[in-house]
């Protein structure tokens, strides 16, 4: 039909038709017009890329560093529980000078030629007198734990106790007398710097950071639930993460940033590091001894501590004394250094008083007072948290657990997002699923890289709690007379962690499935839950004794172990194979009747990576 044969239209009737035609033609042109490519990423997108890869490269190591650092907040309590021979020590008045004198007399009888010793007096967290001593110029220190009432040595089992978590946290210690501590500190420093970068870039990436603080949708399932968990755990105590990361870097600034020291402290023979450390600790450089390996040092003379301790308390107006140290200074004079208790102030290191060891005369006071060194001391003190009472220590412990959760959810989120991306790509390309003998769909494995990341996730996030529980259990199960007993306990720790890695590789790389998560978490829950039982069968410091006696330091450790076992067991149950999702997550995974249903069946690649 030609236009001449169309029915006639009035102008009013033709206007809406023309408008609709123009709108349709404009929509068609805009739909056909390709989007101009953007070669430059936005700043936020660039930060998102940096956040992802800075967290992924050493994320597993960061989780281990953060978790063991969190446990180190209760290092003294672990040390006490893992030495049951110290149970029953009665609290003493640490201000009594005879407590220190008895311990010193016992040390001299045991080691007559001692050249240096450091004595930590008992307090509310450690009832024993702890002495580090050596009879050489630059040799390793040996450790003695003394009964504060008698001064005699306590025959405690050989173990690193909570010091292992503390040492692993910043130098990846693998033996009681580690040889690669400097290399370990470098590795931890690189990981800490990457975490600091990930924190800053994460703040920039999340434009709705305050809204995310109040958003957690666990019933959504999949990527959304993991992203919410990562955001909430990351935002909730973000100032703590920034403080603990930056202060951790500053503690070892002399290792990571020596250029400034080399510029400011030039000496005749190169860098005068002795002068730098003297300024950092508020001491006089000329009083610090400079000894080379093999130099001989004269044994210390007889020292009368009561007069020295009385004078120190008078000068500090009754302040607590934390430790004593006897040594020879740069002139060969025997001196006693009295250090105030670390819990008396935030700044680390505490002030010290110097006395002549022979006559007990006060010589000098050492304390960092400059603005820069005080700032450094406050950062150091915040990181160590030795000023914290029991309530604040539990709060910091909770913050540390949230940090571990933030890292863990970030690692799992990477796997979940990769799985979803692989699944989407498979859907778009129309990859057909394989069929088994009964006509069922056999999921196609995800790429090897994704499965490898999933395996390391399982080995780290589920294997490390298992290894920690095995380490604590070994303290009760390894024979007391075993040679190198402390290293045997560490061998149990790394063996358990290695078995978890083998299991994870077998499950995630060879045969994917959710059992890869459930089994190590269940084993960890079993080990932690059985710790109070093992303790009751092997020692007399069990809940049946400590609870009625009101010995809460001992009892709280057993109760905390039991609570940890229940939590890990619950996680294992939640991640068991065959558990069907509920609520909105189940609805989201249900089949949809849409045009997408016409596409070929897609493989379930997510089963091999996230496990969630």
């Amino acid at each position: 039909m030609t236009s001449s044969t169309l029915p006639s239209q009035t102008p009013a009737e033709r206007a809406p038709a023309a408008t609709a035609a123009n709108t349709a033609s404009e929509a068609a042109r805009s739909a056909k017009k390709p989007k101009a490519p953007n070669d430059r990423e936005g700043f936020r997108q660039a930060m998102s890329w940096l956040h992802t890869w800075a967290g992924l490269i050493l994320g597993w190591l960061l989780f281990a560093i953060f978790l063991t650092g969190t446990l180190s907040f209760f290092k003294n309590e672990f040390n006490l529980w893992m030495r049951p021979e110290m149970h029953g020590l009665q609290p003493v008045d640490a201000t009594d000078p005879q407590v220190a004198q008895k311990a010193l007399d016992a040390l001299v009888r045991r080691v007559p030629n001692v050249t240096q010793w450091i004595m930590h007096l008992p307090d509310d967290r450690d009832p024993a007198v702890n002495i580090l001593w050596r009879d050489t110029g630059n040799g390793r220190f040996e450790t003695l734990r003394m009964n504060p009432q008698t001064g005699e040595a306590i025959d405690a089992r050989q173990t690193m106790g909570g010091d292992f978590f503390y040492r692993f946290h910043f130098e990846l210690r693998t033996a009681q007398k580690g040889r690669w501590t400097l290399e370990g500190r470098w590795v931890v420093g690189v990981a800490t710097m990457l975490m600091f970068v990930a924190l800053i870039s994460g703040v920039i990436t999340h434009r709705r950071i305050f809204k995310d603080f109040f958003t957690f949708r666990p019933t959504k399932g999949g990527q959304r639930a993991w992203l919410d968990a990562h955001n909430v755990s990351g935002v909730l105590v973000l100032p703590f993460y920034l403080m603990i990361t930056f202060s951790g870097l500053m503690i070892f600034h002399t290792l990571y940033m020596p250029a400034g020291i080399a510029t400011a402290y030039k000496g005749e023979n190169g860098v005068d590091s002795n002068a730098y450390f003297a300024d950092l600790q508020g001491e006089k450089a000329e009083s610090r001894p400079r000894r080379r390996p093999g130099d001989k040092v004269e044994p210390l003379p007889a020292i009368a501590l009561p007069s020295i301790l009385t004078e120190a308390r008078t000068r500090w107006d009754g302040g607590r004394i934390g430790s004593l140290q006897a040594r020879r200074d740069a002139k060969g004079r025997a001196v006693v250094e009295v250090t105030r208790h670390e819990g008396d102030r935030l700044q680390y290191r505490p002030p010290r008083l110097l006395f002549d060891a022979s006559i007990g005369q006060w010589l000098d006071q050492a304390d960092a007072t400059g603005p820069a060194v005080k700032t450094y001391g406050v950062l150091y003190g915040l990181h160590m948290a030795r000023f914290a009472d029991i309530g604040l220590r539990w709060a910091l412990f909770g913050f540390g657990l949230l940090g571990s959760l933030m890292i863990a959810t970030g690692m799992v989120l990477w796997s979940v997002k990769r799985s979803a991306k692989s699944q989407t790509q498979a859907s778009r390309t129309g990859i057909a699923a394989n069929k088994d003998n009964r006509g069922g769909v056999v999921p196609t494995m995800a790429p090897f890289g994704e499965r490898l990341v999933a395996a390391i996730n399982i080995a780290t996030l589920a294997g490390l709690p298992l290894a920690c529980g095995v380490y604590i259990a070994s303290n009760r199960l390894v024979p007391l007379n075993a040679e190198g007993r402390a290293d045997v306990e560490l061998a149990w720790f790394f063996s358990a962690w290695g078995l978890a890695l083998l299991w994870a590789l077998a499950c995630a790389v060879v045969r994917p499935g959710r059992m890869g998560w459930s089994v190590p978490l269940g084993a960890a829950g079993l080990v932690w839950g059985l710790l109070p039982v093992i303790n009751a069968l092997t020692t007399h410091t069990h809940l049946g004794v400590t609870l009625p006696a009101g010995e809460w330091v001992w009892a709280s450790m057993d109760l905390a172990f039991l609570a940890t076992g229940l939590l890990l067991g619950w996680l294992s149950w939640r991640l068991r194979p065959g558990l069907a999702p509920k609520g909105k997550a189940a609805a989201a995974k249900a089949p949809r009747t849409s045009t997408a249903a016409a596409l070929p069946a897609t493989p379930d690649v997510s089963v091999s990576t996230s496990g969630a």
Side-chain angles (χ1 to χ4, degrees):
M1 181 182 294
T2 62
S3 59
S4 60
T5 61
L6 290 175
S8 60
Q9 292 180 328
T10 65
E13 291 174 337
R14 287 195 300 269
T19 302
N22 293 336
T23 303
S25 61
E26 290 177 1
R29 286 195 300 269
S30 62
K32 293 179 181 179
K33 184 178 180 181
K35 187 177 180 180
N38 184 10
D39 295 333
R40 293 186 178 181
E41 291 181 294
F43 181 65
R44 197 183 301 275
Q45 287 75 16
M47 289 297 101
S48 177
W49 179 91
L50 181 62
H51 177 75
T52 298
W53 290 103
L56 179 66
I57 291 173
L58 291 177
W60 303 291
L61 179 60
L62 282 172
F63 178 80
I65 293 171
F66 225 91
L67 183 60
T68 52
T70 300
L71 295 175
S72 298
F73 283 126
F74 289 98
K75 178 188 70 171
N76 288 6
E77 286 72 19
F78 275 109
N79 284 337
L80 189 62
W81 188 90
M82 297 179 76
R83 294 181 177 92
E85 295 81 8
M86 295 174 60
H87 179 258
L89 290 180
Q90 298 299 320
V92 298
D93 184 7
T95 62
D96 183 2
Q98 292 303 318
V99 173
Q101 189 64 53
K102 289 179 181 179
L104 176 58
D105 293 342
L107 173 65
V108 172
R109 288 194 300 269
R110 191 182 186 102
V111 191
N113 296 325
V114 61
T115 60
Q116 183 180 0
W117 53 260
I118 303 172
M119 180 187 300
H120 296 276
L121 297 179
D123 58 14
D124 54 346
R125 298 184 65 189
D126 191 342
V129 179
N130 296 283
I131 299 182
L132 302 173
W133 63 270
R134 62 185 177 187
D135 55 3
T136 59
N138 285 318
R140 286 182 179 270
F141 281 97
E142 302 293 335
T143 303
L144 279 176
R145 288 173 174 80
M146 324 289 277
N147 188 315
Q149 295 179 324
T150 65
E152 296 302 322
I154 301 172
D155 188 17
R157 64 189 64 194
Q158 294 183 12
T159 179
M160 284 195 70
D163 288 318
F164 167 64
F165 298 130
Y166 172 67
R167 290 286 174 179
F168 186 88
H169 161 67
F170 70 91
E171 62 187 19
L172 306 180
R173 179 70 67 92
T174 58
Q176 186 177 26
K177 297 180 179 180
R179 296 178 298 172
W180 312 105
T181 56
L182 187 62
E183 292 80 0
R185 293 180 183 185
W186 266 107
V187 173
V188 171
V190 172
T192 306
M193 177 58 72
L194 285 177
M195 180 170 182
F196 195 65
V197 170
L199 287 172
I200 299 298
S201 57
V203 171
I204 298 173
T205 299
H206 297 294
R207 67 180 68 185
R208 301 182 305 171
I209 188 169
F210 294 105
K211 183 178 181 180
D212 290 339
F213 179 84
F214 301 100
T215 305
F216 182 45
R217 294 158 287 186
T219 57
K220 287 285 186 180
Q223 181 177 337
R224 172 51 58 188
W226 285 110
L227 180 60
D228 286 349
H230 184 63
N231 288 338
V232 170
S233 59
V235 175
L236 193 60
V237 286
L238 179 61
F240 171 79
Y241 303 149
L242 294 171
M243 179 275 296
I244 209 72
T245 306
F246 181 72
S247 59
L249 288 170
M250 287 302 299
I251 287 175
F252 293 110
H253 68 282
T254 56
L255 180 65
Y256 308 137
M257 298 179 291
I261 302 173
T263 302
Y265 288 85
K266 290 182 178 179
E268 297 179 356
N269 300 321
V271 181
D272 190 359
S273 58
N274 195 67
Y276 174 74
F277 285 108
D279 290 347
L280 190 65
Q281 299 177 9
E283 301 174 351
K284 295 179 179 179
E286 58 270 16
S287 66
R288 292 174 60 89
R290 304 188 185 192
R291 297 192 181 97
R292 294 168 298 181
D295 287 353
K296 293 185 178 180
V297 179
E298 291 295 323
L300 293 171
I303 302 174
L305 292 178
S307 60
I308 294 176
L309 295 177
T310 302
E311 176 70 14
R313 289 194 178 91
T314 301
R315 288 183 175 272
W316 284 332
D317 296 327
R320 292 185 297 170
I321 294 177
S323 64
L324 311 170
Q325 179 180 182
R327 55 180 171 82
R328 291 193 178 272
D329 62 10
K331 300 178 181 179
R333 176 180 52 182
V335 295
V336 174
E337 184 179 273
V338 182
T339 303
R340 192 159 181 172
H341 196 281
E342 295 173 343
D344 281 358
R345 76 175 186 182
L346 171 61
Q347 180 185 341
Y348 185 89
R349 172 176 187 194
R352 285 93 63 207
L353 296 174
L354 207 63
F355 294 86
D356 188 301
S358 301
I359 60 177
Q361 180 183 1
W362 176 76
L363 300 174
D364 199 2
Q365 175 170 336
D367 191 14
T369 56
V373 293
K374 289 185 73 172
T375 302
Y376 169 76
V378 169
L379 288 172
Y380 203 140
L382 285 170
H383 192 93
M384 304 294 285
R386 292 177 179 173
F387 63 90
D389 58 11
I390 184 64
L392 182 55
R393 203 176 307 122
W394 272 109
L396 293 173
F397 180 81
F399 295 165
L401 289 182
L402 278 175
S404 303
L405 179 63
M406 174 190 67
I407 298 171
T409 52
M411 302 307 298
V412 175
L413 178 61
W414 188 91
S415 284
V416 172
K417 291 178 69 174
R418 285 284 176 170
S419 297
K421 184 177 180 180
S422 298
Q423 189 172 5
T424 302
Q425 291 176 349
S427 299
R428 290 176 177 175
T429 55
I431 298 176
N434 298 324
K435 301 287 185 177
D436 58 17
N437 295 332
R438 295 175 294 178
V441 176
V442 179
T444 303
M445 283 190 179
F448 176 78
E450 293 181 22
R451 287 181 282 129
L452 181 61
V453 170
I456 303 177
N457 277 349
I458 295 172
T460 304
L461 308 183
L464 182 57
L466 172 62
C468 291
V470 169
Y471 167 69
I472 299 172
S474 70
N475 179 260
R476 295 297 194 258
L477 299 177
V478 174
L480 298 180
N481 58 354
E483 184 178 358
R485 190 179 185 281
D487 288 331
V488 173
E489 290 182 357
L490 300 186
W492 282 46
F493 172 87
F494 289 106
S495 297
W497 204 357
L499 289 175
L501 176 60
L502 292 176
W503 168 264
L505 290 172
C507 290
V509 176
V510 179
R511 188 173 183 179
R514 293 182 69 168
M515 187 176 291
W517 286 96
S518 181
V519 170
L521 285 173
L526 182 64
V527 171
W528 282 89
L530 287 178
L531 284 176
V533 178
I534 297 173
N535 184 37
L537 295 175
T538 55
T539 72
H540 60 282
T541 61
H542 52 81
L543 290 172
V545 173
T546 57
L547 276 179
E551 297 172 332
W552 292 110
V553 175
W554 296 87
S556 61
M557 295 297 290
D558 279 331
L559 294 175
F561 295 157
L562 183 60
T564 303
L566 292 176
L567 175 61
L568 292 171
W570 175 79
L571 288 175
S572 174
W573 177 258
R574 289 288 300 171
L575 294 175
R576 70 189 186 276
L579 179 64
K582 299 178 181 180
K584 296 180 181 179
K589 293 186 178 182
R592 300 178 182 178
T593 56
S594 64
T595 56
L599 296 174
T602 57
D604 184 10
V605 295
S606 63
V607 70
S608 63
T609 55
S610 67

